[in-house]
Amino acid sequence: MNQLEIHEYLKEFFIENNSEILDESPGHLHVQLSIEMDKALMNRPFYWHYIEKMNGVPNPMKLTLITDRDSVNEDLKGELIHFGSPRLHQIFDTATGLGSHVLLYESVNTNGFTKPLKPWIILNGVISYRSNHKKDHFFSIGLSLITGEMIHDIQSHIEYKNFTEQIPDYCFKMNPIIKPQSGLERIKKYIYEQLEEEDHQWAKVAVDQLKKDIALLETFYKDEEDKPETYFHEKEAIKEQYDPKIEISIINGGLFYFLNHPLSE
Amino acid sequence: MLPKIHYDENWTEKFLESLETNKGFGNWTTYNMALKAGKNRLVEEFHGLEATKHLPDLTIYPHQYETAQTVIDKMNGKAVLADEVGLGKTIEAGLILKEYMIRGLVSKVLILVPASLVTQWCRELNEKFFIPAIEQRKRPAWELVDITVTSIDTAKREPHASTIQDINYDFIIVDEAHKLKNKNTRNYQFVRSLKKKFCLLLTATPVQNRLSEVFHLISLLKPGYLGDETSFEEKYKEDHEQLNELIQKVMVRNRRSDSGMDWPKRHVQTVPITFTQEERNLYDEVSKLKHRYSKREESIGQGIAFTTLTLQREVCSSREAAYMTLKGLMEQYENETTIMEDLNQVAERINEVGTNSKAEKVLSIIKESNDKVIIFTEYRATQLYLQWFLGQHGIKSVPFRGGFKRSKKDWMKQLFRDHAQVLIATEAGGEGINLQFCHRMINYDLPWNPMRIEQRIGRIHRLGQEEDVQIYNFAVKDTIEDHILKLLYKKIGLFEGVIGKLDDILEKFTNNQFEEHVSNILLHSESEGEMRVKMDNLSSIIAK
């Protein structure tokens, strides 16, 4: 994310979360936090506990975030925000929590005709390959709960469409033939199958290194019959360092109702 | 092979619950924002550094970037970082730690540093790297804090030691790791007992005296990598090349000379000092004593001769320093009449000394400008004397010693920066303070270990120093100090930092301490000519 993207992201985030932008320039945002956002971001639980206990008048804070130091007045006080700043990651965390699951309907106008909407499960997540190194692989998979059809990278096909939380007029939901839970299972199974087919050279390298280091360790302690505790500690540490694992985690996802096939324009 | 797979069911459960209760759903905007946040955190390659993207305001020098990359990619996160003083080992360690944290490979971290550096480490990690490191002092909460900075002296004490040993740390950093060269110390045992998944040992001087030091250091990181102790000694006594090759796979050592940076210059100046007549008399008296006793065979004679060598060095520093040693001797031999007679002679000469020629010179150098000056002395008595002496002339100075508590060290450094013109440090104070706001240094007397000179100079000649550095080496004419400086240090180009390969030098002294060598030469040379020849030999070994 570059600074411009960060600026746009923050603005969208605050507007979406009922926090009014009081002042803005290309290099900064001055925001009146909502009560929820103050609680989420400002780390002052005692204040909120007190206000709620005493029925006090809440006074959420204002926040100034500077996204481009060079384009703002030198005197402007605020937090510099960039890709590595803890504040941005706190906001990412909050955003991830708020958009974790959805139940959405494709926003369509049927011109008064009654139309069925078909259910799909969409799952966005990460496959992490980890040993002493790590790499992540993003996936976005859609599965039709009617036909069982699966679409890869579905997010890139739907990101320009619009969805609402209310079912559009004249539309009705088709009942899923596959239950959401089974749908999720199918996706999981599919990911496992794909992983089985991959060539996990990285894991071989890690295991070789693991064996090498353990062998060195054995030579170091070869003369000691009763191995000291450090020997077991070291051995454990080497295993933890190299032992290859694959971790699959979900970023977000949900149940989507489509009028048209997701791949259609 | 297919590695173990772990699937996070957490999300699934919560989602199914939402479906059932029809609660907790986001909208299309929050969905897209969550997705963007999640995708932005991905690291899509095994190799390369992500950390730099997170640290836009940090100046990272090329050698630091390369070091971080090498340690992670090639050394699997276990390494000795042995850059020469002042090249930014802390930055390298911070970068490596940050990288592992971004990749989610490390979350629980223990950082062991000298007491005087705890605050500084914390500040740098927080401010430069946005790593929420927390100092642990009086009442540590080891389990609760993810990134702990503490001194090894605190950590190794009970009840802390047992608690720490039970915590599953992902990453351990030890700064000034040359203190772990002796495997019999508690420090060494303690660090050895820790579980080290990823581990960095930081030291500017991986070898100070003996090659075996490097063996112990590396055995902490990777036991068995250099074999066991006995086989190590046998195998590598001669074969240094093979050893170097092995070491280079677990140790990164950047040198100023090849860091490719434009360093401020070092101006090194020898300041010859002429003794007053009274000082000269004192020195000669001690020398007479040395000659007399070094010829005697019995152990008392040798013992006294050795101490007179110390006395000679001390006389070159201050009469106060010499007096402390003399007093010790007098207490030891109070029943030996002839020895006492000799010692009394020396005591009389001490009483006659009025002026300290070196101190006068210090005064004139300090007064040349308003710039700050660091004075290094080997002796605490000299330190006290100088502080008093400068005070008499209206110059404010602060003392600095290794024995100071951490908070006192921080405070002294701050006093020096903000209020005093002069800092007077003893040897042990040399480590662990960064004083790049000062660019003048006086070596009031010289240690006999070249590594320690480099440590001293490294306090001010380091990244962040913007001025050229001035170094004044004091040496009293026609004394052992003069010999050491002229016959040894100057020959090997010590002060210019041109050799820059001190560790190679010291490798050549596998079995004998460097300082012992020098002492022996000075003690057992019959004539000045003999000493000169021996020193020449020594410097030619070094300069090879």
Side-chain angles (χ1 to χ4, degrees):
Chain A
M1 254 186 183
N2 61 35
Q3 291 305 108
L4 189 67
E5 288 166 327
I6 289 173
H7 188 97
E8 291 307 313
Y9 187 92
L10 291 173
K11 190 175 167 186
E12 193 180 9
F13 174 83
F14 287 116
I15 293 172
E16 180 60 31
N17 289 294
N18 309 313
S19 302
E20 193 190 342
I21 310 283
L22 301 173
D23 186 21
E24 187 197 358
S25 76
H28 90 286
L29 288 165
H30 184 50
V31 186
Q32 171 60 63
L33 296 177
S34 65
I35 292 173
E36 280 65 37
M37 283 304 108
D38 184 301
K39 285 183 185 170
L41 301 177
M42 301 319 284
N43 193 23
R44 43 179 196 159
F46 294 115
Y47 170 79
W48 288 109
H49 184 74
Y50 172 81
I51 287 289
E52 278 154 23
K53 263 255 153 81
M54 309 297 287
N55 273 326
V57 182
N59 181 16
M61 290 168 95
K62 297 183 179 74
L63 192 59
T64 305
L65 300 175
I66 299 173
T67 50
D68 179 9
R69 186 174 18 196
D70 297 335
S71 79
V72 296
N73 196 323
E74 263 176 47
D75 307 329
L76 181 73
K77 284 205 179 94
E79 285 180 39
L80 283 171
I81 200 155
H82 55 77
F83 189 61
S85 58
R87 177 69 78 196
L88 184 64
H89 286 268
Q90 188 193 25
I91 288 171
F92 279 171
D93 282 340
T94 310
T96 311
L98 292 168
S100 173
H101 343 104
V102 287
L103 171 57
L104 292 173
Y105 306 89
E106 188 173 6
S107 177
V108 285
N109 184 353
T110 61
N111 294 321
F113 294 104
T114 305
K115 297 271 184 182
L117 299 180
K118 296 171 211 82
W120 286 71
I121 282 281
I122 292 179
L123 207 52
N124 302 307
V126 188
I127 301 173
S128 299
Y129 304 82
R130 67 183 286 172
S131 55
N132 56 318
H133 299 300
K134 186 181 166 203
K135 89 175 173 187
D136 300 319
H137 173 75
F138 174 73
F139 65 85
S140 173
I141 297 174
L143 177 100
S144 163
L145 295 182
I146 303 292
T147 65
E149 178 193 357
M150 219 179 269
I151 300 176
H152 273 270
D153 194 20
I154 189 166
Q155 176 63 20
S156 63
H157 298 289
I158 65 165
E159 61 191 349
Y160 300 106
K161 297 184 197 263
N162 246 318
F163 295 85
T164 64
E165 294 139 87
Q166 303 299 329
I167 189 160
D169 293 345
Y170 306 107
C171 291
F172 66 95
K173 296 192 274 185
M174 272 176 76
N175 269 338
I177 293 170
I178 302 164
K179 278 195 203 148
Q181 187 166 5
S182 322
L184 290 168
E185 278 300 320
R186 282 193 193 199
I187 295 175
K188 177 176 164 185
K189 197 167 150 243
Y190 171 77
I191 294 171
Y192 273 61
E193 282 165 4
Q194 293 297 302
L195 284 172
E196 269 168 46
E197 279 175 26
E198 277 176 29
D199 170 29
H200 295 283
Q201 186 56 31
W202 63 277
K204 267 184 230 133
V205 172
V207 169
D208 285 347
Q209 192 62 48
L210 189 153
K211 285 182 185 155
K212 243 190 231 165
D213 277 20
I214 299 257
L216 287 176
L217 185 75
E218 299 293 352
T219 60
F220 193 72
Y221 287 99
K222 70 174 181 309
D223 295 331
E224 298 180 55
E225 232 164 77
D226 290 320
K227 306 281 187 228
E229 205 179 328
T230 52
Y231 164 85
F232 297 101
H233 268 177
E234 310 270 17
K235 201 165 179 174
E236 192 57 35
I238 292 170
K239 281 186 188 156
E240 280 179 24
Q241 187 187 2
Y242 294 111
D243 198 24
K245 293 187 263 308
I246 295 173
E247 290 169 349
I248 302 160
S249 52
I250 309 303
I251 298 171
N252 67 356
L255 181 56
F256 286 72
Y257 284 91
F258 286 88
L259 175 64
N260 304 304
H261 190 273
L263 294 185
S264 67
E265 288 303 314
Chain B
M1 67 171 287
L2 181 63
K4 288 179 289 271
I5 302 176
H6 177 261
Y7 189 97
D8 179 16
E9 302 283 356
N10 225 331
W11 183 89
T12 311
E13 282 164 25
K14 283 197 183 130
F15 174 64
L16 292 174
E17 199 182 298
S18 289
L19 277 183
E20 217 159 274
T21 56
N22 202 16
K23 258 193 246 160
F25 288 119
N27 60 38
W28 180 233
T29 307
T30 58
Y31 168 87
N32 279 311
M33 293 199 85
L35 191 53
K36 233 186 225 172
K39 280 180 86 170
N40 260 297
R41 291 177 173 185
L42 302 185
V43 180
E44 287 175 320
E45 295 294 333
F46 277 126
H47 301 290
L49 292 187
E50 284 292 305
T52 50
K53 294 179 203 160
H54 291 246
L55 307 167
D57 295 326
L58 182 66
T59 313
I60 300 165
Y61 292 94
H63 71 271
Q64 295 169 336
Y65 186 92
E66 275 167 35
T67 300
Q69 205 164 23
T70 307
V71 168
I72 294 171
D73 283 353
K74 302 216 173 85
M75 300 180 171
N76 301 318
K78 274 188 176 174
V80 180
L81 296 186
D83 288 4
E84 285 177 341
V85 189
L87 284 170
K89 285 186 287 295
T90 318
I91 300 292
E92 291 165 1
L95 256 181
I96 294 165
L97 174 58
K98 183 79 183 174
E99 184 68 28
Y100 279 125
M101 291 183 72
I102 291 171
R103 287 175 179 263
L105 287 167
V106 160
S107 54
K108 194 90 182 163
V109 184
L110 178 67
I111 301 169
L112 299 170
V113 310
S116 59
L117 290 179
V118 171
T119 311
Q120 194 177 316
W121 263 88
C122 259
R123 202 172 42 226
E124 290 206 9
L125 288 177
N126 276 284
E127 288 173 7
K128 292 186 177 159
F129 293 96
F130 314 105
I131 292 173
I134 294 175
E135 264 184 80
Q136 295 291 303
R137 287 183 188 245
K138 291 226 169 82
R139 280 198 211 148
W142 309 106
E143 290 100 335
L144 300 179
V145 175
D146 278 339
I147 297 141
T148 298
V149 183
T150 191
S151 74
I152 197 161
D153 291 320
T154 305
K156 75 178 177 203
R157 276 204 307 267
E158 292 298 346
H160 311 314
S162 321
T163 316
I164 290 172
Q165 278 154 3
D166 286 341
I167 295 175
N168 208 352
Y169 285 106
D170 301 310
F171 200 135
I172 290 175
I173 298 176
V174 185
D175 193 11
E176 306 284 354
H178 48 268
K179 294 199 173 128
L180 303 174
K181 64 192 173 185
N182 183 343
K183 63 166 181 163
N184 296 317
T185 58
R186 262 181 79 191
N187 283 357
Y188 189 93
Q189 305 284 352
F190 173 69
V191 173
R192 185 164 168 196
S193 72
L194 299 173
K195 194 163 153 188
K196 294 172 286 295
K197 195 165 140 192
F198 297 108
C199 179
L200 297 176
L201 303 177
L202 278 54
T203 171
T205 52
V207 181
Q208 275 185 313
N209 284 309
R210 293 159 207 274
L211 200 56
S212 61
E213 291 167 8
V214 115
F215 170 80
H216 293 307
L217 214 52
I218 289 174
S219 296
L220 274 181
L221 269 187
K222 286 192 145 195
Y225 182 72
L226 295 177
D228 58 48
E229 204 173 347
T230 10
S231 69
F232 172 79
E233 294 273 339
E234 278 166 28
K235 198 164 170 194
Y236 300 114
K237 215 186 295 172
E238 304 299 328
D239 194 356
H240 284 178
E241 244 165 65
Q242 201 202 340
L243 179 64
N244 272 335
E245 238 170 68
L246 276 176
I247 289 177
Q248 272 167 26
K249 287 184 191 153
V250 288
M251 177 158 100
V252 185
R253 180 148 174 86
N254 294 303
R255 303 172 197 282
R256 279 156 209 275
S257 50
D258 45 40
S259 66
M261 276 184 291
D262 204 7
W263 282 84
K265 286 198 188 68
R266 282 185 188 187
H267 300 288
V268 182
Q269 193 178 333
T270 303
V271 181
I273 307 282
T274 312
F275 267 156
T276 61
Q277 191 54 50
E278 292 77 22
E279 287 171 319
R280 172 56 61 190
N281 292 345
L282 170 59
Y283 186 84
D284 289 346
E285 193 70 49
V286 174
S287 306
K288 259 196 276 171
L289 213 63
K290 185 178 90 178
H291 287 302
R292 199 170 315 146
Y293 285 91
S294 63
K295 292 210 174 62
R296 285 168 56 169
E297 295 293 326
E298 85 278 31
S299 62
I300 288 192
Q302 287 303 310
I304 293 179
F306 193 79
T307 313
T308 54
L309 194 60
T310 309
L311 265 176
Q312 280 187 316
R313 297 179 67 187
E314 288 168 344
V315 170
C316 290
S317 183
S318 70
R319 61 176 208 154
E320 284 74 11
Y323 178 70
M324 298 307 289
T325 302
L326 187 67
K327 208 174 115 198
L329 274 179
M330 288 176 124
E331 279 161 15
Q332 199 181 343
Y333 297 107
E334 55 184 347
N335 299 322
E336 310 267 345
T337 347
T338 45
I339 298 177
M340 281 306 279
E341 265 171 37
D342 287 337
L343 296 178
N344 277 323
Q345 286 287 322
V346 178
E348 263 175 49
R349 296 289 94 79
I350 285 187
N351 284 331
E352 285 161 19
V353 172
T355 316
N356 184 325
S357 309
K358 270 189 178 172
E360 297 291 339
K361 191 70 198 175
V362 163
L363 194 62
S364 72
I365 288 178
I366 291 174
K367 282 185 170 168
E368 276 169 19
S369 78
N370 288 325
D371 291 338
K372 295 190 186 296
V373 180
I374 300 170
I375 304 172
F376 267 106
T377 172
E378 293 263 275
Y379 307 104
R380 192 147 162 213
T382 303
Q383 184 188 35
L384 289 171
Y385 165 74
L386 276 176
Q387 211 189 350
W388 171 84
F389 176 79
L390 293 176
Q392 294 290 305
H393 291 84
I395 294 170
K396 256 198 232 165
S397 63
V398 287
F400 200 93
R401 280 195 288 279
F404 282 176
K405 283 226 170 74
R406 161 168 52 185
S407 51
K408 187 161 178 188
K409 281 185 175 171
D410 288 340
W411 182 46
M412 288 297 156
K413 179 177 163 182
Q414 208 176 338
L415 277 181
F416 177 44
R417 194 182 52 213
D418 302 335
H419 299 293
Q421 194 188 351
V422 180
L423 180 115
I424 309 171
T426 53
E427 202 50 43
E431 261 169 32
I433 37 163
N434 300 334
L435 304 166
Q436 52 270 58
F437 54 85
C438 170
H439 61 269
R440 299 210 293 167
M441 173 183 287
I442 296 175
N443 283 312
Y444 191 85
D445 35 45
L446 293 175
W448 287 7
N449 183 335
M451 284 308 226
R452 282 174 28 210
I453 304 248
E454 193 55 38
Q455 287 267 15
R456 282 181 176 184
I457 298 174
R459 295 302 113 214
I460 61 172
H461 195 219
R462 58 193 303 121
L463 286 180
Q465 177 60 266
E466 282 161 10
E467 309 267 340
D468 284 356
V469 166
Q470 278 289 349
I471 296 156
Y472 303 92
N473 293 315
F474 280 22
V476 184
K477 277 188 210 158
D478 302 317
T479 61
I480 47 169
E481 212 168 53
D482 213 16
H483 301 325
I484 294 278
L485 187 73
K486 278 197 193 136
L487 299 179
L488 198 59
Y489 285 176
K490 273 192 154 177
K491 271 213 169 128
I492 62 175
L494 182 61
F495 301 103
E496 288 75 16
V498 281
I499 43 165
K501 293 188 173 172
L502 279 168
D503 38 349
D504 298 351
I505 294 172
L506 289 158
E507 261 181 29
K508 290 169 182 149
F509 293 89
T510 321
N511 296 313
N512 281 305
Q513 292 210 350
F514 185 83
E515 295 181 54
E516 274 171 31
H517 259 286
V518 176
S519 299
N520 280 330
I521 292 174
L522 290 169
L523 202 55
H524 298 299
S525 297
E526 296 283 332
S527 64
E528 193 157 329
E530 185 186 339
M531 182 190 65
R532 210 176 280 274
V533 171
K534 285 181 178 167
M535 286 285 201
D536 265 354
N537 283 340
L538 186 62
S539 61
S540 68
I541 297 174
I542 288 173
K544 236 180 227 166

